Amino acid sequence: MNTALKITVFTVLSILFYMYVGQLVPQKIVEAPKELTLSADTTTDEMCTLGQKLVETKGQCLTCHTMGHPTGRFPDLVGVGERAQHRKPGFTDIEYLAETLYDPSAYIVPGFNPGMPAVNKPPIGLNDDEIKCVIAYLQSLGGESAITMKTKLKYSTPVTGTAEASTESSAPAGAVADNSMSGKDLIAKYGCMTCHSFSDAAKLVGPSLYDVGKRLSRAQIYESVVEPDASIAAGFSPGVMSATLAGNGFTDKATPTQLKSIVNYLSSLKGN
């Protein structure tokens, strides 16, 4: 038998041997995890699973809410399912949770300030079905999930109308011409101290502002208020301030005169 033939025979026998050994090893098929899609048949348990993912990711809920550490800007979520059952008189837990997501300023939990954005609007933008899943998950935190994909919510139809432009030049839509308040009073009105420290360099949800007038020019301060995502301070997340300003009414109500007062006040803060 020549060398070439020996090599061929050896190769074939080796392949057959390893094929045989391979068949003796238990086979396990590993499938990629299935992506959960929503439909009318999605179960409440599946809604809870997706709701948790939405709370932790797209919903940005844990930016301001805590889980078991009640020291955050907004209420801790542990036990919210039980609290929601009697939080607002005349509301079921589903009705209350829906209102907190679609119209968060309608009821402010005692001890906290307004500022949570409506989650069905930018920059979060959850759709109605995703919000039902978030409600299912929140119900499960201390309570029992009862919502289904067929549950009708009062707020399910998004408001698409456009507010008429303010008569004050360049004012946001729906602005209110109340220009008598000082910049400091406006800061308090819109709850800015909930996210920013004005007394020291402590970092809260947003950077400290106690020396912002020394660090930033007036133009930079103005931009940080009207275009919060144009420049993000290191270590902080985009979208949070813009969502907060929309949620507490500043975006719709602040007039240019009020904005000027706020910028003047912030410019005066030199850290002294």
Side-chain angles (χ1 to χ4, degrees):
M1 184 179 294
N2 58 40
T3 303
L5 181 58
K6 290 180 179 178
I7 293 175
T8 300
V9 173
F10 175 79
T11 301
V12 172
L13 291 175
S14 297
I15 292 173
L16 292 173
F17 172 75
Y18 284 109
M19 287 177 64
Y20 172 72
V21 172
Q23 293 300 316
L24 297 178
V25 177
Q27 302 296 305
K28 181 178 181 180
I29 300 176
V30 178
E31 297 180 353
K34 295 181 179 179
E35 183 177 351
L36 182 61
T37 56
L38 292 172
S39 70
D41 297 326
T42 300
T43 68
T44 299
D45 286 344
E46 290 173 330
M47 291 171 66
C48 284
T49 298
L50 182 55
Q52 180 177 4
K53 292 179 181 178
L54 289 167
V55 164
E56 296 172 351
T57 55
K58 181 180 178 181
Q60 303 179 40
C61 305
L62 301 186
T63 302
C64 297
H65 292 280
T66 53
M67 292 289 286
H69 304 282
T71 56
R73 175 189 173 199
F74 291 147
D76 188 82
L77 295 181
V78 171
V80 67
E82 189 276 330
R83 295 193 300 272
Q85 296 174 24
H86 48 77
R87 172 71 82 184
K88 189 170 182 178
F91 278 58
T92 66
D93 53 347
I94 293 177
E95 291 170 339
Y96 169 72
L97 292 171
E99 182 182 73
T100 65
L101 297 173
Y102 284 99
D103 188 13
S105 297
Y107 177 85
I108 306 300
V109 175
F112 294 89
N113 292 315
M116 175 178 164
V119 302
N120 62 318
K121 298 178 181 179
I124 298 174
L126 298 185
N127 63 43
D128 294 332
D129 287 343
E130 289 173 329
I131 290 175
K132 289 180 183 179
C133 291
V134 170
I135 292 174
Y137 174 60
L138 295 178
Q139 280 189 298
S140 74
L141 300 177
E144 182 178 350
S145 300
I147 192 171
T148 71
M149 294 301 296
K150 298 179 181 179
T151 300
K152 301 294 184 181
L153 299 179
K154 173 183 176 182
Y155 301 92
S156 290
T157 302
V159 176
T160 56
T162 302
E164 295 182 1
S166 170
T167 55
E168 185 172 359
S169 176
S170 72
V176 177
D178 176 13
N179 299 318
S180 62
M181 298 179 70
S182 68
K184 185 175 182 180
D185 288 339
L186 289 166
I187 290 289
K189 174 182 177 180
Y190 290 109
C192 303
M193 66 289 299
T194 304
C195 294
H196 300 279
S197 173
F198 287 81
S199 59
D200 53 40
K203 296 179 180 180
L204 303 179
V205 177
S208 170
L209 298 180
Y210 93 115
D211 63 345
V212 66
K214 183 167 63 176
R215 294 185 287 105
L216 301 179
S217 67
R218 286 178 57 85
Q220 290 173 317
I221 293 173
Y222 179 88
E223 180 185 63
S224 69
V225 176
V226 298
E227 294 289 344
D229 293 327
S231 179
I232 307 298
F236 296 94
S237 301
V240 176
M241 181 171 173
S242 58
T244 301
L245 294 180
N248 66 14
F250 178 87
T251 302
D252 292 333
K253 297 179 181 179
T255 68
T257 300
Q258 291 173 339
L259 179 59
K260 181 179 179 180
S261 297
I262 290 173
V263 172
N264 287 340
Y265 173 67
L266 293 177
S267 296
S268 72
L269 301 180
K270 308 294 185 181
N272 298 327

